[in-house]
Amino acid sequence: MQSDGSESVSPTTQRLQSLSAADTRGKHRIQAELKRLEQEARFLEEELEQLEKMDKASAACKEILNNAETRPDPLLPV
């Protein structure tokens, strides 16, 4: 009878160990996902900073576009 009791403990112990191992993998996955999200947030912040600096560049592009539109294309017939 005691062997039955020890056999029931053994699968339970094995199950607890496998759950513990699965929990560790789960924690690792969560940490990896968190790290990826933090990296993406930093990337987006850097990109936003670059876009904020490009305001002056877009004004210059608009000026060039206006100048180009007013001049006729030398390769097209008049």
Side-chain angles (χ1 to χ4, degrees):
M1 294 260 177
Q2 288 179 348
S3 63
D4 290 334
S6 65
E7 288 177 11
S8 65
V9 172
S10 179
T12 304
T13 303
Q14 290 175 350
R15 185 171 181 212
L16 286 174
Q17 289 173 347
S18 80
L19 287 175
S20 177
D23 188 39
T24 302
R25 287 191 302 265
K27 287 179 184 179
H28 177 72
R29 287 182 184 152
I30 291 171
Q31 288 175 341
E33 180 68 15
L34 181 60
K35 186 175 180 178
R36 186 189 67 79
L37 290 172
E38 288 173 346
Q39 184 179 11
E40 186 175 345
R42 279 193 306 267
F43 173 75
L44 291 172
E45 287 173 356
E46 291 172 4
E47 188 174 5
L48 183 59
E49 289 175 7
Q50 291 175 355
L51 288 174
E52 288 173 352
K53 293 176 184 177
M54 291 183 68
D55 187 28
K56 295 177 183 176
S58 67
C61 290
K62 286 179 184 177
E63 184 180 336
I64 291 172
L65 181 62
N66 288 335
N67 288 336
E69 287 177 341
T70 57
R71 296 182 185 173
D73 189 342
L75 299 176
L76 293 176
V78 179

